[in-house]
Short mmCIF file of all heavy atoms in Angstrom, two decimals:
data_model
loop_
_atom_site.label_atom_id
_atom_site.label_comp_id
_atom_site.label_asym_id
_atom_site.label_seq_id
_atom_site.Cartn_x
_atom_site.Cartn_y
_atom_site.Cartn_z
N GLU A 1 -23.12 50.44 8.90
CA GLU A 1 -21.76 50.91 8.67
C GLU A 1 -21.05 51.12 10.00
O GLU A 1 -21.62 51.66 10.93
CB GLU A 1 -21.78 52.25 7.93
CG GLU A 1 -22.36 52.15 6.54
CD GLU A 1 -22.36 53.52 5.87
OE1 GLU A 1 -21.53 54.36 6.24
OE2 GLU A 1 -23.20 53.73 5.01
N PRO A 2 -19.76 50.71 10.10
CA PRO A 2 -19.01 51.01 11.30
C PRO A 2 -18.99 52.52 11.55
O PRO A 2 -18.98 53.31 10.62
CB PRO A 2 -17.60 50.47 10.99
CG PRO A 2 -17.82 49.44 9.95
CD PRO A 2 -18.99 49.92 9.14
N SER A 3 -18.98 52.90 12.80
CA SER A 3 -18.93 54.29 13.25
C SER A 3 -20.20 55.07 12.95
O SER A 3 -20.25 56.26 13.21
CB SER A 3 -17.72 55.04 12.66
OG SER A 3 -16.54 54.40 13.06
N ALA A 4 -21.25 54.45 12.43
CA ALA A 4 -22.53 55.13 12.26
C ALA A 4 -23.29 55.01 13.57
O ALA A 4 -23.81 53.95 13.90
CB ALA A 4 -23.32 54.50 11.10
N LEU A 5 -23.32 56.10 14.35
CA LEU A 5 -23.93 56.06 15.67
C LEU A 5 -25.41 56.38 15.59
O LEU A 5 -25.83 57.26 14.85
CB LEU A 5 -23.24 57.05 16.61
CG LEU A 5 -21.77 56.79 16.93
CD1 LEU A 5 -21.27 57.86 17.89
CD2 LEU A 5 -21.58 55.42 17.52
N ARG A 6 -26.18 55.67 16.41
CA ARG A 6 -27.59 55.97 16.58
C ARG A 6 -27.77 56.52 17.98
O ARG A 6 -27.22 55.99 18.94
CB ARG A 6 -28.43 54.71 16.41
CG ARG A 6 -28.47 54.22 15.00
CD ARG A 6 -29.47 53.11 14.89
NE ARG A 6 -29.58 52.70 13.50
CZ ARG A 6 -30.42 51.81 13.07
NH1 ARG A 6 -31.23 51.20 13.90
NH2 ARG A 6 -30.46 51.49 11.79
N GLN A 7 -28.59 57.55 18.09
CA GLN A 7 -28.87 58.12 19.40
C GLN A 7 -29.80 57.19 20.16
O GLN A 7 -30.71 56.59 19.59
CB GLN A 7 -29.51 59.50 19.25
CG GLN A 7 -28.60 60.53 18.60
CD GLN A 7 -27.33 60.74 19.39
OE1 GLN A 7 -27.35 61.00 20.59
NE2 GLN A 7 -26.18 60.61 18.74
N ALA A 8 -29.58 57.07 21.45
CA ALA A 8 -30.42 56.23 22.31
C ALA A 8 -30.43 56.82 23.71
O ALA A 8 -29.52 57.55 24.10
CB ALA A 8 -29.90 54.80 22.33
N ASP A 9 -31.47 56.50 24.44
CA ASP A 9 -31.58 56.86 25.85
C ASP A 9 -31.42 55.57 26.63
O ASP A 9 -32.20 54.63 26.44
CB ASP A 9 -32.94 57.51 26.13
CG ASP A 9 -33.02 58.02 27.55
OD1 ASP A 9 -32.27 58.93 27.88
OD2 ASP A 9 -33.83 57.48 28.33
N VAL A 10 -30.40 55.49 27.47
CA VAL A 10 -30.06 54.23 28.14
C VAL A 10 -29.71 54.46 29.60
O VAL A 10 -29.55 55.60 30.05
CB VAL A 10 -28.85 53.54 27.46
CG1 VAL A 10 -29.08 53.31 25.98
CG2 VAL A 10 -27.56 54.31 27.69
N THR A 11 -29.59 53.37 30.32
CA THR A 11 -28.96 53.37 31.63
C THR A 11 -27.72 52.49 31.54
O THR A 11 -27.79 51.36 31.08
CB THR A 11 -29.91 52.85 32.73
OG1 THR A 11 -31.04 53.72 32.81
CG2 THR A 11 -29.21 52.80 34.08
N VAL A 12 -26.60 53.06 31.95
CA VAL A 12 -25.30 52.36 31.90
C VAL A 12 -24.99 51.83 33.30
O VAL A 12 -25.20 52.52 34.30
CB VAL A 12 -24.19 53.32 31.44
CG1 VAL A 12 -22.84 52.62 31.42
CG2 VAL A 12 -24.51 53.89 30.07
N LEU A 13 -24.50 50.60 33.35
CA LEU A 13 -24.11 49.95 34.60
C LEU A 13 -22.63 49.63 34.56
O LEU A 13 -22.16 49.05 33.58
CB LEU A 13 -24.93 48.67 34.78
CG LEU A 13 -24.65 47.77 35.98
CD1 LEU A 13 -25.91 47.01 36.36
CD2 LEU A 13 -23.51 46.79 35.76
N PHE A 14 -21.92 50.03 35.60
CA PHE A 14 -20.54 49.60 35.82
C PHE A 14 -20.51 48.86 37.14
O PHE A 14 -21.08 49.32 38.13
CB PHE A 14 -19.57 50.79 35.90
CG PHE A 14 -19.10 51.29 34.57
CD1 PHE A 14 -19.81 52.26 33.91
CD2 PHE A 14 -17.95 50.79 33.99
CE1 PHE A 14 -19.38 52.74 32.67
CE2 PHE A 14 -17.51 51.25 32.76
CZ PHE A 14 -18.22 52.23 32.10
N ALA A 15 -19.85 47.71 37.17
CA ALA A 15 -19.67 46.95 38.41
C ALA A 15 -18.25 46.43 38.44
O ALA A 15 -17.73 45.96 37.42
CB ALA A 15 -20.66 45.78 38.47
N ASP A 16 -17.61 46.55 39.61
CA ASP A 16 -16.27 46.00 39.72
C ASP A 16 -16.06 45.35 41.07
O ASP A 16 -16.80 45.59 42.02
CB ASP A 16 -15.19 47.05 39.42
CG ASP A 16 -14.80 47.89 40.61
OD1 ASP A 16 -15.68 48.19 41.43
OD2 ASP A 16 -13.62 48.25 40.73
N LEU A 17 -15.04 44.51 41.13
CA LEU A 17 -14.68 43.83 42.36
C LEU A 17 -13.90 44.77 43.27
O LEU A 17 -12.95 45.42 42.83
CB LEU A 17 -13.83 42.60 42.05
CG LEU A 17 -14.54 41.43 41.41
CD1 LEU A 17 -13.54 40.40 40.91
CD2 LEU A 17 -15.53 40.80 42.38
N VAL A 18 -14.29 44.83 44.52
CA VAL A 18 -13.59 45.65 45.51
C VAL A 18 -12.37 44.85 45.99
O VAL A 18 -12.48 43.67 46.31
CB VAL A 18 -14.52 45.98 46.70
CG1 VAL A 18 -13.76 46.74 47.78
CG2 VAL A 18 -15.72 46.76 46.23
N GLY A 19 -11.22 45.51 46.03
CA GLY A 19 -10.01 44.86 46.54
C GLY A 19 -9.40 43.83 45.61
O GLY A 19 -8.62 42.98 46.05
N PHE A 20 -9.71 43.92 44.32
CA PHE A 20 -9.21 42.91 43.38
C PHE A 20 -7.68 42.93 43.29
O PHE A 20 -7.04 41.88 43.26
CB PHE A 20 -9.81 43.13 42.00
CG PHE A 20 -9.24 42.22 40.95
CD1 PHE A 20 -9.58 40.89 40.91
CD2 PHE A 20 -8.34 42.71 40.01
CE1 PHE A 20 -9.05 40.04 39.95
CE2 PHE A 20 -7.80 41.86 39.05
CZ PHE A 20 -8.16 40.53 39.03
N THR A 21 -7.09 44.11 43.25
CA THR A 21 -5.63 44.20 43.11
C THR A 21 -4.94 43.52 44.28
O THR A 21 -3.99 42.74 44.09
CB THR A 21 -5.19 45.67 43.00
OG1 THR A 21 -5.86 46.26 41.88
CG2 THR A 21 -3.70 45.79 42.80
N SER A 22 -5.43 43.79 45.49
CA SER A 22 -4.83 43.14 46.67
C SER A 22 -5.03 41.63 46.65
O SER A 22 -4.12 40.86 46.94
CB SER A 22 -5.44 43.71 47.95
OG SER A 22 -5.17 45.09 48.03
N ALA A 23 -6.26 41.22 46.31
CA ALA A 23 -6.56 39.78 46.28
C ALA A 23 -5.72 39.06 45.24
O ALA A 23 -5.26 37.93 45.48
CB ALA A 23 -8.05 39.57 46.01
N SER A 24 -5.50 39.69 44.10
CA SER A 24 -4.77 39.01 43.02
C SER A 24 -3.30 38.81 43.37
O SER A 24 -2.66 37.92 42.80
CB SER A 24 -4.92 39.77 41.70
OG SER A 24 -4.35 41.05 41.80
N GLN A 25 -2.77 39.59 44.30
CA GLN A 25 -1.38 39.39 44.73
C GLN A 25 -1.22 38.07 45.48
O GLN A 25 -0.13 37.50 45.52
CB GLN A 25 -0.93 40.54 45.63
CG GLN A 25 -0.83 41.86 44.92
CD GLN A 25 -0.43 42.98 45.87
OE1 GLN A 25 0.37 42.77 46.78
NE2 GLN A 25 -0.99 44.15 45.65
N GLU A 26 -2.30 37.60 46.09
CA GLU A 26 -2.26 36.38 46.90
C GLU A 26 -2.60 35.15 46.09
O GLU A 26 -2.52 34.04 46.59
CB GLU A 26 -3.24 36.50 48.07
CG GLU A 26 -3.07 37.74 48.92
CD GLU A 26 -1.71 37.81 49.59
OE1 GLU A 26 -1.22 36.75 50.04
OE2 GLU A 26 -1.15 38.91 49.66
N LEU A 27 -3.03 35.33 44.83
CA LEU A 27 -3.52 34.21 44.02
C LEU A 27 -2.55 33.89 42.89
O LEU A 27 -1.83 34.76 42.40
CB LEU A 27 -4.88 34.55 43.42
CG LEU A 27 -6.03 34.80 44.39
CD1 LEU A 27 -7.25 35.34 43.65
CD2 LEU A 27 -6.38 33.51 45.14
N SER A 28 -2.60 32.65 42.45
CA SER A 28 -1.88 32.26 41.24
C SER A 28 -2.64 32.82 40.05
O SER A 28 -3.81 33.21 40.17
CB SER A 28 -1.82 30.74 41.15
OG SER A 28 -3.13 30.23 40.93
N PRO A 29 -2.02 32.85 38.86
CA PRO A 29 -2.77 33.28 37.67
C PRO A 29 -4.05 32.46 37.46
O PRO A 29 -5.08 33.02 37.10
CB PRO A 29 -1.77 33.07 36.53
CG PRO A 29 -0.44 33.26 37.19
CD PRO A 29 -0.60 32.66 38.56
N ALA A 30 -3.99 31.16 37.74
CA ALA A 30 -5.20 30.34 37.60
C ALA A 30 -6.25 30.74 38.63
O ALA A 30 -7.45 30.74 38.34
CB ALA A 30 -4.84 28.86 37.77
N GLY A 31 -5.81 31.11 39.83
CA GLY A 31 -6.74 31.57 40.86
C GLY A 31 -7.40 32.88 40.48
O GLY A 31 -8.59 33.09 40.72
N VAL A 32 -6.61 33.79 39.88
CA VAL A 32 -7.17 35.06 39.40
C VAL A 32 -8.21 34.79 38.32
O VAL A 32 -9.30 35.38 38.32
CB VAL A 32 -6.06 36.00 38.88
CG1 VAL A 32 -6.65 37.23 38.20
CG2 VAL A 32 -5.13 36.41 40.01
N ALA A 33 -7.88 33.88 37.42
CA ALA A 33 -8.82 33.55 36.34
C ALA A 33 -10.11 32.96 36.90
O ALA A 33 -11.21 33.32 36.44
CB ALA A 33 -8.17 32.57 35.36
N ARG A 34 -10.01 32.08 37.90
CA ARG A 34 -11.23 31.51 38.51
C ARG A 34 -12.06 32.58 39.19
O ARG A 34 -13.29 32.58 39.08
CB ARG A 34 -10.85 30.41 39.51
CG ARG A 34 -10.51 29.08 38.86
CD ARG A 34 -10.41 27.96 39.89
NE ARG A 34 -9.39 28.20 40.91
CZ ARG A 34 -8.10 27.89 40.76
NH1 ARG A 34 -7.68 27.33 39.64
NH2 ARG A 34 -7.24 28.14 41.73
N LEU A 35 -11.41 33.50 39.87
CA LEU A 35 -12.11 34.59 40.55
C LEU A 35 -12.87 35.45 39.54
O LEU A 35 -14.06 35.74 39.72
CB LEU A 35 -11.10 35.45 41.32
CG LEU A 35 -11.65 36.65 42.06
CD1 LEU A 35 -12.40 36.22 43.31
CD2 LEU A 35 -10.53 37.60 42.43
N LEU A 36 -12.18 35.83 38.46
CA LEU A 36 -12.83 36.65 37.44
C LEU A 36 -13.94 35.88 36.73
O LEU A 36 -15.01 36.44 36.46
CB LEU A 36 -11.80 37.15 36.42
CG LEU A 36 -10.84 38.21 36.94
CD1 LEU A 36 -9.78 38.52 35.89
CD2 LEU A 36 -11.59 39.48 37.34
N ASP A 37 -13.71 34.61 36.44
CA ASP A 37 -14.75 33.80 35.81
C ASP A 37 -16.01 33.76 36.66
O ASP A 37 -17.12 33.86 36.15
CB ASP A 37 -14.26 32.37 35.55
CG ASP A 37 -13.31 32.27 34.37
OD1 ASP A 37 -13.18 33.25 33.61
OD2 ASP A 37 -12.68 31.20 34.21
#
Protein backbone atom coordinates (compact mmCIF):
# COMPACT_ATOMS: atom_id res chain seq x y z
CA GLU A 1 0.00 0.00 0.00
CA PRO A 2 1.23 3.53 -0.72
CA SER A 3 2.43 5.36 2.40
CA ALA A 4 2.87 2.08 4.32
CA LEU A 5 6.37 2.63 5.72
CA ARG A 6 8.69 -0.12 6.83
CA GLN A 7 11.41 0.60 9.33
CA ALA A 8 14.95 0.03 8.10
CA ASP A 9 18.52 0.76 9.14
CA VAL A 10 20.37 2.33 6.21
CA THR A 11 23.20 4.55 5.12
CA VAL A 12 22.11 7.52 3.01
CA LEU A 13 24.43 9.05 0.40
CA PHE A 14 24.12 12.54 -1.04
CA ALA A 15 26.51 13.68 -3.78
CA ASP A 16 26.45 16.90 -5.74
CA LEU A 17 28.52 18.80 -8.24
CA VAL A 18 30.63 21.62 -6.80
CA GLY A 19 30.22 24.91 -8.67
CA PHE A 20 27.35 23.68 -10.83
CA THR A 21 25.45 26.98 -10.75
CA SER A 22 28.49 28.93 -11.94
CA ALA A 23 29.38 26.34 -14.58
CA SER A 24 25.84 26.23 -15.95
CA GLN A 25 25.93 29.98 -16.64
CA GLU A 26 28.71 29.35 -19.16
CA LEU A 27 26.98 26.41 -20.88
CA SER A 28 24.12 26.05 -23.31
CA PRO A 29 21.11 24.02 -22.14
CA ALA A 30 22.50 21.09 -24.15
CA GLY A 31 25.86 21.54 -22.42
CA VAL A 32 24.18 21.50 -19.01
CA ALA A 33 22.33 18.33 -19.98
CA ARG A 34 25.60 16.65 -21.10
CA LEU A 35 27.30 17.65 -17.85
CA LEU A 36 24.47 16.24 -15.74
CA ASP A 37 24.24 13.10 -17.87
